[in-house]
Amino acid sequence: MTWRVTVLPALSVLALTFAAILPWGLPSDYRFVLPLLPVVAIYYWTRDDAAWLPEWVLFLCGLLLDVLTQGPLGSWALVYLVAYIAAVYASRSAIESPRGKVALFTTAIITVTFFAWLAASAYFLELLDWKPYARGAFFALILAALVQLALVIAKPSKSATSLHLTRGD
């Protein structure tokens, strides 16, 4: 197994968790975008059959986010596990078309965001404003589309042939 399969998934989720923890100076209505960044990585790596992303890494990243942002303990850990479950169910679907995959990802982000809103509302014992959560989901979808576009552009085409130099007899 290579480092791309074993180390990169956990490191990318951890790096995005640290990015979500940092004070970026965003207005309070836009702060929900950052904790959804690891959700995008969780979805991507869970859908990749070759990648190894254990559930305990997700739980610890969510717990780290809760502790360092002084949020309700276990809230984001639970949200990240729900994101993992959504990605597992999406990976088991038979949808292979690009539009279908986008629809699955959009459904997963909306499901995870709705769950995060419900969990936060239950914690505070009142229905919270849904607009910051919806805004966060929208920006997470846009950022994920940009990353996917960059990956498609950076990937070499299948029609390109490699040059093999051999020494003659």
Side-chain angles (χ1 to χ4, degrees):
M1 295 177 93
T2 65
W3 70 274
R4 182 201 176 277
V5 175
T6 57
V7 178
L8 188 60
L11 280 180
S12 65
V13 172
L14 184 64
L16 288 171
T17 302
F18 277 118
I21 292 169
L22 294 174
W24 293 97
L26 294 174
S28 61
D29 285 350
Y30 291 91
R31 288 189 188 149
F32 189 71
V33 174
L34 297 174
L36 284 178
L37 295 179
V39 171
V40 175
I42 291 167
Y43 184 86
Y44 175 77
W45 289 116
T46 304
R47 292 282 318 248
D48 187 359
D49 292 332
W52 180 71
L53 184 62
E55 297 86 4
W56 59 267
V57 170
L58 309 176
F59 182 79
L60 289 178
C61 285
L63 208 56
L64 180 70
L65 183 66
D66 291 334
V67 168
L68 294 180
T69 59
Q70 299 175 352
L73 195 59
S75 171
W76 281 106
L78 186 59
V79 170
Y80 288 171
L81 289 176
V82 168
Y84 176 76
I85 291 168
V88 166
Y89 279 117
S91 67
R92 291 182 181 167
S93 73
I95 297 174
E96 292 298 323
S97 69
R99 286 184 184 181
K101 289 181 180 182
V102 169
L104 279 175
F105 177 69
T106 304
T107 304
I109 289 290
I110 290 172
T111 302
V112 169
T113 305
F114 182 71
F115 180 80
W117 175 76
L118 278 179
S121 294
Y123 177 76
F124 290 108
L125 299 174
E126 66 177 289
L127 287 178
L128 298 178
D129 186 19
W130 59 271
K131 291 175 189 166
Y133 291 88
R135 197 174 294 119
F138 175 74
F139 283 115
L141 288 169
I142 296 297
L143 289 172
L146 291 175
V147 168
Q148 188 68 26
L149 181 65
L151 289 174
V152 167
I153 291 171
K155 187 176 183 179
S157 68
K158 292 180 182 178
S159 64
T161 58
S162 57
L163 180 64
H164 296 287
L165 299 175
T166 57
R167 182 178 280 189
D169 292 323

